[in-house]
Structure formats: structure tokens, C-alpha cells
Amino acid sequence: MKSLNIIYHKASVTRERRNNLNNHPSIVLWFTGLSGSGKSTLAHALEEKLFQRGCRTFVLDGDNVRYGLNSNLDFSKTDRAENIRRISEVSKLMIEAGLIVMTAFISPFKKDRNEARNLISNDHFIEIFCKASIETCEKRDVKGLYKLARAGEIKNYTGIDSPYEVPENPELIINTDKETLDYSVSRILKFLERKDLIIKDELNEN
């Protein structure tokens, strides 16, 4: 239950002022897909390119967040929903701080992703579906988690005994089992340029 003895404080340094200082709007790029689909790899590669352009960025990575903020959550459907709710709230704070935020989470359920979009606002939320076959994801599984899940040693594993609900209308679909990493990053950068979310890189224009 929320406390009634709180008052939301409006700061004089607003998101708009921070965006003007940074010379780019603050947005959330929400990477979703199966474990092993390349979400984290793509998010960090994209961040490097954005950082080189002078953008203020941060990546929220699924495993990293579960080390601290969400270390008390398991992988039940209820705790997965809470995991995404907390990430959504953190992402909202980060875009208030003027950052381009990249979140790399399986986020398997449409309801949770839609709630994240609604919280952050449709204008500042870009859903990027990292599409890869389950066979490809299993081949990339350096931690052996798919093998453990198939053996029944891990429960509620997405793609094995817990569903992944494919996004219906993501802003971008990246076929990570067919595209090179560089090509995927360039596709996202060009999308952001077309939307006037980042300044066009004239020097590297093909």
C-alpha cells in the first residue's frame, strides 16, 4: 500500500532542459527476445556507437540488475512481472535524467511490455524485437541454461516450459540469427536518425 504522506516534488532542472543540454531527446530502447537472442550484445554495441557520437547513455542489463536491485526476485510469473515493473520505473527515472536508456530483458509477456510502454509513454518507448530461432539461441547458450531447462533442472525457463509472447507491433525487428552485429547496429542508428532522435552522422554516411 502506498503511503499517503508523500508529495511529488517538481524539480527546476527539467527533462526538457537536460535534453537541450545533451542535444538529443531521452528515450527508452526496449530490447526483448529469447535468452541468447543477442539483446545484451546488441544493446552494448549500440551504446558504444551512441557514446562515440556524444550521446548520454546507459544499458540496463537483465543479469546485472538481478545482482542488485532485483536480487530478491525469482523467475515465477509474478516475480518476472515485478522485475519488469521495477525496470520500467528505473527507466522512467533515467529518461527524466536525460539519458538514452537501453534495456536488455527477455520480458516475455506482452502485458508487462505494454505496461512499461504506458508508464514511459508511447512517444519515448521504442520496442526492438531481437528475433532468433530457439535452435540458434540454444547454440549460443554458453551458460548451458537451455540444457538444464530441458533436463528439468531449471523451471519456468522461457522458450522451454514458460512461453515467450512475440511482440505484435514492435518499432523494429532485428533478425539476430541472420544479420551481422554491425549491420543490426547500423539499422537501429538509421532508424533513430530518421526519427530525429539522434543527429545524423554525415562523416560515415554511405
Side-chain angles (χ1 to χ4, degrees):
M1 182 179 294
K2 291 184 178 179
S3 172
L4 299 177
N5 301 315
I6 55 176
I7 298 174
Y8 193 89
H9 182 80
K10 292 186 177 181
S12 61
V13 179
T14 63
R15 173 182 173 181
E16 288 72 22
R17 292 177 67 189
R18 294 186 181 101
N19 288 348
N20 288 335
L21 181 66
N22 294 338
N23 204 29
H24 64 74
S26 50
I27 54 172
V28 173
L29 304 174
W30 192 280
F31 292 85
T32 177
L34 292 170
S35 176
S37 63
K39 301 178 298 298
S40 293
T41 300
L42 185 52
H44 283 284
L46 176 65
E47 182 186 35
E48 179 62 38
K49 293 295 185 182
L50 292 172
F51 185 82
Q52 289 174 10
R53 294 193 188 192
C55 297
R56 305 293 188 263
T57 62
F58 196 82
V59 175
L60 289 168
D61 179 86
D63 281 353
N64 291 356
V65 170
R66 280 186 176 271
Y67 268 108
L69 177 66
N70 293 343
S71 60
N72 64 321
L73 301 179
D74 59 28
F75 290 90
S76 65
K77 188 170 183 178
T78 299
D79 276 10
R80 282 186 163 191
E82 175 61 12
N83 183 51
I84 298 305
R85 187 196 71 80
R86 292 184 192 179
I87 294 311
S88 302
E89 293 286 358
V90 170
S91 298
K92 185 178 179 182
L93 290 173
M94 286 188 160
I95 62 172
E96 287 297 321
L99 303 178
I100 295 176
V101 185
M102 286 145 281
T103 71
F105 294 83
I106 296 173
S107 47
F109 304 117
K110 293 177 186 176
K111 178 177 180 292
D112 297 336
R113 296 194 302 266
N114 287 337
E115 287 179 354
R117 182 186 290 272
N118 291 335
L119 175 70
I120 292 162
S121 88
N122 194 57
D123 291 339
H124 305 109
F125 186 96
I126 296 169
E127 186 175 41
I128 301 174
F129 174 36
C130 295
K131 184 179 180 181
S133 68
I134 187 75
E135 293 79 15
T136 297
C137 293
E138 289 194 65
K139 287 177 183 176
R140 294 173 174 170
D141 182 22
V142 295
K143 293 184 283 188
L145 298 180
Y146 278 104
K147 185 177 181 180
L148 292 173
R150 288 195 181 280
E153 296 180 41
I154 296 178
K155 301 298 183 183
N156 301 315
Y157 198 79
T158 302
I160 305 299
D161 60 348
S162 183
Y164 177 80
E165 297 174 357
V166 175
E168 294 176 351
N169 295 296
E171 279 73 14
L172 277 171
I173 297 175
I174 304 295
N175 295 289
T176 60
D177 57 354
K178 297 178 181 177
E179 302 175 8
T180 66
L181 179 59
D182 286 345
Y183 180 68
S184 296
V185 169
S186 71
R187 283 187 59 204
I188 300 172
L189 290 171
K190 286 181 172 126
F191 174 87
L192 297 175
E193 288 173 351
R194 286 196 304 271
K195 296 289 185 181
D196 293 323
L197 297 170
I198 59 173
I199 296 173
K200 195 169 186 179
D201 185 5
E202 302 289 351
L203 292 177
N204 293 314
E205 184 179 4
N206 293 322

